[in-house]
């Protein structure tokens, strides 16, 4: 007996929330990668790791928020906690492989294509590993052609995301790229869900565990908090928000002028003066013997 599947149990709430989380993770990840590539004084490995974790957490959170709206009318749904957490680790690790590859080797054709394939397959593996965590009174079957299409979308989306991470520098451009990434990730998810069908078992073996919402919501709390904290890091770093070029231009327009003795800024001070090293001035009225006369200097 085939089960009746409804992927939009709460209407547009879950798809929109899932899309926004994918966009948030993508936006934070892109800005962190930009920070690592365009500032030679930054801790490159740390920023790349933060970016990969943000993107992976955003994709994983998007998937399971969307799954809150998934139901089979004839049976209740639960999730295996171990497999659910494992899918999060897979998403972060596979995204990190792609991010570190392009972060250290650049967006060459070979590196970008290889990293895109690895990352895309990782995203697809996260999705289907998360699907294997489903517990219900039945078995899940997939339409092969639609599965192949979803994997192809994942690879294209991952490649585009990696290219954007190393090629797009401005804040508005990164924001636009993250919106496109959200569409691609959400499109991959719902394409993969279109391949799903459920073959129900006998009515006597109905699954009676906790509801999907009661299990998913606590597990989603950790990645959501992480994304919010990563957002705070981005907001408090001007180079991450505006980009290095915009930061330089902002300083040129509003240089920090030193104050004179009366507390008023020196109007002649410019951004060029700020970059010019100043000689070290020592106190000429020092105590001790004079180097020439040997006599002690007067106070």
């Amino acid at each position: 007996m085939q089960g009746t599947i409804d992927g939009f149990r709460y209407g547009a709430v879950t798809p929109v929330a899932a899309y926004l989380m994918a966009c948030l993770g993508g936006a934070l990840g892109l800005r962190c990668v930009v920070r690592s590539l365009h500032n030679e004084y930054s801790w490159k490995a740390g920023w790349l790791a933060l970016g990969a974790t943000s993107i992976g957490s955003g994709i994983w959170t998007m998937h399971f928020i969307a799954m809150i709206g998934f139901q089979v009318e004839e049976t209740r749904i639960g999730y295996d906690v171990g497999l659910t957490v494992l899918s999060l680790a897979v998403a972060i690790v596979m995204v990190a492989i792609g991010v570190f590859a392009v972060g250290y080797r650049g967006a060459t054709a070979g590196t970008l294509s290889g990293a895109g394939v690895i990352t895309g397959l990782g995203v697809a593996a996260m999705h289907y590993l998360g699907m294997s965590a489903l517990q219900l009174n039945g078995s899940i079957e997939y339409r092969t052609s639609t599965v192949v299409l979803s994997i192809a979308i994942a690879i294209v989306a991952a490649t585009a995301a990696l290219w954007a991470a190393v090629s797009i520098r401005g804040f508005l451009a990164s924001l636009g790229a993250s919106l496109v990434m959200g569409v691609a990730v959400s499109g991959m998810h719902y394409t993969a869900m279109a391949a799903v069908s459920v073959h129900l078992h006998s009515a006597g073996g109905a699954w009676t565990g906790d509801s999907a919402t009661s299990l998913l919501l606590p597990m989603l709390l950790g990645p959501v908090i992480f994304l919010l904290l990563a957002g705070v890091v981005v907001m408090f770093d001007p180079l991450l928000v505006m980009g290095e070029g915009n930061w330089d231009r902002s300083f040129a327009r509003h240089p920090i002028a030193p104050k004179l003795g009366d507390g008023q800024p020196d109007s002649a001070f410019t951004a060029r003066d700020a970059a010019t090293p100043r000689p070290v001035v020592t106190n000429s009225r020092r105590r001790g013997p004079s180097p020439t006369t040997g006599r002690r200097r007067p106070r």
Side-chain angles (χ1 to χ4, degrees), residues 77-102:
I77 294 177
Y79 287 88
D80 180 88
V81 176
L83 288 176
T84 303
V85 175
L86 179 61
S87 66
L88 172 61
V90 168
I92 294 174
V93 170
M94 298 304 286
V95 171
I97 292 174
V99 167
F100 273 80
V102 298

Side-chain angles (χ1 to χ4, degrees), residues 50-64:
L50 180 60
T53 307
S54 297
I55 295 174
S57 297
I59 294 172
W60 183 89
T61 305
M62 176 271 152
H63 170 82
F64 282 101

Side-chain angles (χ1 to χ4, degrees), residues 49-254:
L50 180 60
T53 307
S54 297
I55 295 174
S57 297
I59 294 172
W60 183 89
T61 305
M62 176 271 152
H63 170 82
F64 282 101
I65 287 178
M67 290 304 295
I68 291 177
F70 176 82
Q71 70 170 354
V72 180
E73 293 185 3
E74 293 82 4
T75 180
R76 298 180 67 184
I77 294 177
Y79 287 88
D80 180 88
V81 176
L83 288 176
T84 303
V85 175
L86 179 61
S87 66
L88 172 61
V90 168
I92 294 174
V93 170
M94 298 304 286
V95 171
I97 292 174
V99 167
F100 273 80
V102 298
Y104 279 97
R105 303 187 63 179
T108 62
T111 301
L112 194 59
S113 59
V117 170
I118 293 174
T119 305
L121 291 176
V123 172
M126 179 279 300
H127 175 89
Y128 289 104
L129 187 59
M131 292 298 295
S132 68
L134 262 71
Q135 297 175 334
L136 46 76
N137 181 34
S139 58
I140 299 176
E141 301 173 351
Y142 297 95
R143 187 183 304 110
T144 304
S145 59
T146 311
V147 170
V148 172
L149 178 59
S150 68
I151 295 175
I153 294 174
I155 292 174
V156 172
T159 304
L162 294 175
W163 174 85
V166 296
S167 302
I168 295 177
R169 188 167 180 174
F171 175 75
L172 293 180
S174 294
L175 180 60
S178 67
L179 297 178
V180 176
M181 285 175 58
V183 172
V185 173
S186 299
M188 177 268 168
H189 172 83
Y190 286 106
T191 299
M193 294 307 296
V196 173
S197 60
V198 176
H199 181 75
L200 296 174
H201 297 158
S202 60
W207 186 85
T208 58
D210 295 332
S211 66
T213 303
S214 64
L215 290 172
L216 288 181
L217 287 180
M219 286 189 288
L220 286 169
L221 188 60
V224 170
I225 291 176
F226 169 80
L227 290 174
L228 294 177
L229 292 177
V232 171
V233 173
V234 170
M235 290 178 63
F236 278 89
D237 192 324
L239 289 177
L240 279 171
V241 175
M242 296 188 298
E244 187 177 6
N246 292 335
W247 174 253
D248 292 340
R249 288 192 295 270
S250 176
F251 179 79
R253 289 194 301 266
H254 305 288

